[in-house]
Amino acid sequence: MAQETTQQASTPTAPARALLPLILPALVVGVGASLLFLAVSGLAEQLQDVLWQNLPDALGIGRYSVFWMLVMLTSTGVLVGLVVWKVPGHAGPDPATTGLEAPALPLGTLPGLVLATALMLAGGPSLGPENPIIAVNIGLTFWLGRRLLPRLPGGLWVMLAEAATIGALFGTPVAAALIISEALAGRKVQGLLWDHVFAPLGAAAAGAVTTTLVAHPTFDLDLPPIGHPGWADLLAAPVVASVAAVLGMVAVYAFPYVHAGFSRLRHPMVALPLGGLVLGLLGALGGHLTLFKGLDEVAELAHDPEGWSAGEFATMTVVKLAALLVAASCGFRGGRIFPGVFIGAALGLCAHALVSGVQPAVGVASGVLGMLLAITRQGWVSLFTAAVLVASPAILALLCIASLPAWLLVTGRPQMQLREDGTPIR
């Protein structure tokens, strides 16, 4: 123990003069990343209103009728397929192979990726904006940074852009700090961890503050408070998290096979429209709440936890999971975290509907935790995301306990991301 303390005390720290020049670039990257995220999200929301409200109203068609869902999801597949097929850069790499960490894509690829992402967000496929927005911000930041400040290492620009975008997406720099720390834990780095997190944390804070000032986002679902946890909560949290993890792993194991099936179609103008058609059929089965990235929809679920039966919650859970699996496999550009939040929340509310002793807040947070652990295999992000949905300090202890059995179920197994050859990443 004494030897370990001595080693920590002797770890060299970066001098202030080495960190001070990084503050301004970090702040600029943070603000820029947030503004790009808000611009793409705002464009997608306006287009969504046109496609799902103005247009069907003008045509005298039900906004979320089965016919309109089939038309819109299939049409979205056609439009995104055209972008992937014809636009330079083909809207980036296969989204099944991408995660939160992204390489610096060529500048010419980014416009197509932005367009494909905006169309996807507006059209209804069950994916979030996180992966493509991070990739776009990394590409832009790397290109500009290497030209304006070439003395700074390229890897720094990538880390700043990733942290800034995550801060903007979640409205807090804590998520970015956790992700960066988790990533650095697997690398050999010299010096103290905080020295390496210093600049990314500044970028994440600038991104989060910019998003907060402009858009005022909130992740709190305003569920009934849990108060002091009881024995029932101590039992419910690990059970719900474990069930969610097992359900998530079903999709994870199916992912390579579904992706291989769409890959055999060999052309985006076949795979994406077909995927859109399947998503339309799933939307018709699960209802309109199972469409889109899922954050607004999960807030609607949480607004009235008693408003649906256990069977309806279970249907939405399974349909949304299937929709995520199809959307991530057929080529739509998007991330898997935000839909995972909806799936876990719906499962948690299903548990509450089945067993009244499971408090909605405990069920939702535990379901989200287990689902995200299975999909992302990132413990800190899963814990953080589950905790911010419920404004209660008491939930943290329950989630830490619930994470233990859930982690045992997923660790060492594949995650919902593939290598370029189609094999799953473990």
Side-chain angles (χ1 to χ4, degrees):
M1 185 68 175
Q3 183 180 1
E4 182 179 350
T5 304
T6 303
Q7 289 177 347
Q8 291 178 349
S10 63
T11 300
T13 60
R17 65 178 180 272
L19 298 177
L20 188 61
L22 302 179
I23 295 178
L24 182 58
L27 297 179
V28 171
V29 170
V31 173
S34 174
L35 293 177
L36 188 141
F37 161 62
L38 292 172
V40 175
S41 298
L43 174 63
E45 289 173 3
Q46 291 183 4
L47 183 57
Q48 179 180 329
D49 290 342
V50 171
L51 296 177
W52 290 92
Q53 297 180 23
N54 300 345
L55 189 54
D57 289 350
L59 296 174
I61 301 171
R63 292 181 178 181
Y64 295 107
S65 64
V66 172
F67 171 76
W68 195 246
M69 287 184 187
L70 293 174
V71 168
M72 285 309 309
L73 270 299
T74 305
S75 299
T76 301
V78 171
L79 293 174
V80 175
L82 284 171
V83 174
V84 175
W85 181 27
K86 290 295 186 181
V87 174
H90 306 290
D94 182 350
T97 65
T98 63
L100 293 180
E101 295 185 20
L105 299 175
L107 193 64
T109 301
L110 305 185
L113 182 54
V114 169
L115 180 58
T117 303
L119 290 171
M120 182 279 299
L121 291 173
S126 295
L127 293 172
E130 60 274 19
N131 291 9
I133 294 297
I134 288 174
V136 170
N137 275 328
I138 286 177
L140 282 174
T141 302
F142 183 84
W143 186 80
L144 289 171
R146 296 295 287 169
R147 279 154 182 78
L148 299 178
L149 291 173
R151 59 185 178 80
L152 294 179
L156 175 65
W157 296 113
V158 172
M159 191 176 295
L160 290 180
E162 181 180 354
T165 311
I166 294 171
L169 285 163
F170 289 93
T172 170
V174 177
L178 293 174
I179 291 175
I180 295 298
S181 299
E182 195 167 9
L184 289 174
R187 306 174 188 173
K188 291 184 178 180
V189 294
Q190 295 181 347
L192 295 178
L193 175 64
W194 192 254
D195 288 336
H196 294 276
V197 177
F198 178 83
L201 184 61
V209 169
T210 302
T211 299
T212 300
L213 293 175
V214 175
H216 313 290
T218 179
F219 281 82
D220 182 12
L221 296 179
D222 198 26
L223 289 162
I226 64 173
H228 295 289
W231 290 106
D233 301 318
L234 194 60
L235 174 63
V239 170
V240 174
S242 298
V243 171
V246 170
L247 185 61
M249 288 307 302
V250 172
V252 169
Y253 276 109
F255 188 42
Y257 300 100
V258 178
H259 178 266
F262 280 105
S263 297
R264 290 191 187 97
L265 300 176
R266 298 186 179 278
H267 200 287
M269 286 304 294
V270 179
L272 280 158
L274 178 59
L277 176 61
V278 174
L279 291 174
L281 294 171
L282 288 170
L285 178 62
H288 72 278
L289 290 179
T290 59
L291 301 177
F292 305 105
K293 62 184 179 184
L295 285 188
D296 293 337
E297 291 72 25
V298 79
E300 188 171 341
L301 286 183
H303 180 70
D304 186 14
E306 315 296 335
W308 290 268
S309 67
E312 289 172 322
F313 280 127
T315 299
M316 286 188 280
T317 300
V318 174
V319 168
K320 187 69 172 182
L321 186 63
L324 169 60
L325 182 60
V326 172
S329 300
C330 70
F332 284 109
R333 271 50 182 171
R336 298 172 278 278
I337 290 179
F338 289 173
V341 170
F342 180 97
I343 299 165
L347 178 64
L349 292 174
C350 178
H352 167 69
L354 287 172
V355 182
S356 60
V358 178
Q359 299 190 61
V362 174
V364 166
S366 302
V368 170
L369 170 66
M371 185 58 58
L372 293 186
L373 282 175
I375 291 175
T376 69
R377 210 57 40 80
Q378 293 182 313
W380 285 124
V381 173
S382 303
L383 273 169
F384 171 82
T385 305
V388 297
L389 298 174
V390 179
S392 172
I395 200 67
L396 285 171
L398 289 175
L399 290 177
C400 287
I401 294 172
S403 69
L404 301 179
W407 183 255
L408 291 176
L409 290 169
V410 303
T411 186
R413 303 182 188 277
Q415 57 182 292
M416 206 170 188
Q417 185 177 344
L418 306 177
R419 298 184 178 88
E420 292 184 3
D421 61 1
T423 58
I425 296 176
R426 291 182 179 269

